[in-house]
Amino acid sequence: MGTQDPGNMGTGVPASEQISCAKEDPQVYCPEETGGTKDVQVTDCKSPEDSRPQKETDCCNPEDSGQLMVSYEGKAMGYQVPPFGWRICLAHEFTEKRKPFQANNVSLSNMIKHIGMGLRYLQWWYRKTQVEKKTPFIDMINSVPLRQIYGCPLGGIGGGTITRGWRGQFCRWQLNPGMYQHRTVIADQFTVCLRREGQTVYQQVLSLERPSVLRSWNWGLCGYFAFYHALYPRAWTVYQLPGQNVTLTCRQITPILPHDYQDSSLPVGVFVWDVENEGDEALDVSIMFSMRNGLGGGDDAPGGLWNEPFCLERSGETVRGLLLHHPTLPNPYTMAVAARVTAATTVTHITAFDPDSTGQQVWQDLLQDGQLDSPTGQSTPTHKGVGIAGAVCVSSKLRPRGQCRLEFSLAWDMPRIMFGAKGQVHYRRYTRFFGQDGDAAPALSHYALCRYTEWEERISAWQSPVLDDRSLPAWYKSALFNELYFLADGGTVWLEVLEDSLPEELGRNMCHLRPTLRDYGRFGYLEGQEYRMYNTYDVHFYASFALIMLWPKLELSLQYDMALATLREDLTRRRYLMSGVMAPVKRRNVIPHDIGDPDDEPWLRVNAYLIHDTADWKDLNLKFVLQVYRDYYLTGDQNFLKDMWPVCLAVMESEMKFDKDHDGLIENGGYADQTYDGWVTTGPSAYCGGLWLAAVAVMVQMAALCGAQDIQDKFSSILSRGQEAYERLLWNGRYYNYDSSSRPQSRSVMSDQCAGQWFLKACGLGEGDTEVFPTQHVVRALQTIFELNVQAFAGGAMGAVNGMQPHGVPDKSSVQSDEVWVGVVYGLAATMIQEGLTWEGFQTAEGCYRTVWERLGLAFQTPEAYCQQRVFRSLAYMRPLSIWAMQLALQQQQHKKASWPKVEQGTGLRTGPMFGPKEAMANLSPE
């Protein structure tokens, strides 16, 4: 039924720009040939400027709704929507429109420094895109544009993800492993139909879109009477239907379940619709879920797509739906749109319709009687260039003042995948439980619809201790859980590992490598959706807290993979873009930067990153050693520690060469040789020097645990000399200098200068007998960072700038020193909490959350970086998962108050990890 102004049709304007409701009076539209229907009321809303009453800005979420709900005109609060999370009115418009960081944002002085790199990048980019016909691992020419539309992704870990925007659109797709398509598929919609006394009185697509296709459908939902609420892995959308006395609450559920290594891998999502009738008349209500087969792009063009209905009955539960078969190589898949059949519901379907037509046939079918025709048999395979869609409808009766529930699932079965090089076949983790044959979509649908209530109970048990803690601010509760989206939607893959695929010679000294990878699979997530490298290790250092606290076996699996890659070499020579020097891809006994590019063959070919030769980076080896001990400390897994000990020895031996003057402290090489890969560091530095001392201290602890007295003595000696050099060369009475160069920027205040201490404290070290950095220096440095990098930057409302000059002006000597890195800020906040500066820690982190989620509209795409004005860089990035380090710091703080752990005389070692595998997660896990 089409009621739009014809003048607005055919524009193809994206949803992000179409939020205004029609400003005409409510209309009654008489569709042609509607049979047994009467006039259907379509309630448009007036301009909010004309009619919106003045009210409190936080009326809908008294806890913490900010400015995102001021446009909401409805009174409905929805069915069992929780008080905490990220809430936004569907009519909200973000006023600040930033742009991705590009070359023209670089200052002239920095551009001159990087002109050689820029020219080499352009040559490489041209060869990659025009000759090899591949996508660059970092595309500086074609950044992903700003789209302030994203919501909670669907899908478990490693099976692919589909992001549903906060206005309801299906808009970001990662079905092919690690490769994203940012495309809103118009046919993918929920539509409501209300009938009274056998006649349809209201039928509306629950979308604010006004597209140029499917024009017979009633588009243009009024967003002022609807809101979205996200608390990952669940989300709620509440629709108050104007004039109908009906409220719809759609609850979206994905099985993201800590410490679960089965259901958490499933490529499924569930939509539960709770319909409330606030009127005195009985109603028939129908929800139709329509879905296109494919995305309408190049993958669909060859044709051969086809749909078919299915019905699966098991254990007394029946599920009906449609299978959308998408056989395009190299990664064919089947999508299932399904619904649960109950005594109170009727499930119908339409097998095929043209998503690029007016859509009149399916619209009239639903309008006629609130159901679909349910033809039998499969559709004809599509011809080249022709699209196909299908729909499933659930109908139920709704008594006066009553409530009913309609349940849908979306599942996709792509069991067998190939990465971009098309060299090897891999099987996804979920195939261990649902088979590898590509026929699991019905079973996945049935399982999801029968298990989602149990999933929700487990999610609530995990989240409730945090949500119920009145000492924690509301924004933090939203940030902690919603930032977890990246563990599933970071281009993530979770693969089965075949026994014969592991090299015998490299793994023979790691006794538990094979059992770990065999039992828990192989895990990879991207540095960022725009920075396409798996398991980028200098960044994982920050993000890994989420993995070790929630899925520790995946963290150990990743560490085993990293250890394997460390022992390998690839002597193929290539030109590095920053220096122009030819050097090997990978040298032995150094930690790789990353495990590879999904558009190539990750794990087989590592180090997709070619801006710097990271064999000479100063932080990677140290971060491995620190994470190994942290992972041991939090899991108590002694077998893991024994397996990693030789690798730690090897990488620390490689690192020794950077201490050129043998004073116990390594020196940076006069280029950007660490995770801040655009920020030059020379000589001893606060960041790398601090990581070095922390890693040496951890080696002392591991040597004692492994009974290696000579090695313990060796590293104890290095630590003693290094501590003296670090304090003498870098401490200035207020903070640690950025580095030891003669440049004026060497006295910059770096927000990340205490990273070594952060990890030591996370490992139960760094104080008392195991103190490395004088506590009073650490606290003073953190106070200085708070005063300068936080409070003197952007009014204290945007987090901590990376570098600040001592007189309170941001350091603009590099392209990264005047950025805010969200994941670094969360790590800094954790460090503050560890040192008793809890209020400062929350203040610091809050600035980032409010900037990203409330001001810039970057929900579920938290960037690596933003500047004080104009730009952001690298959307949907790994590092912000470091917010879980804040949670660990809070837990350890609570644990300290409860009991002081015993300390062995002389070594500073605890008699066991302060937290065992379950104790550490006591208030984070259903266990």
Side-chain angles (χ1 to χ4, degrees), residues 491-509:
T492 312
V493 289
W494 187 358
L495 306 173
E496 290 289 272
V497 177
L498 303 176
E499 195 73 39
D500 58 3
S501 67
L502 297 173
E504 189 69 46
E505 71 284 357
L506 291 178
R508 63 175 175 266
N509 293 324

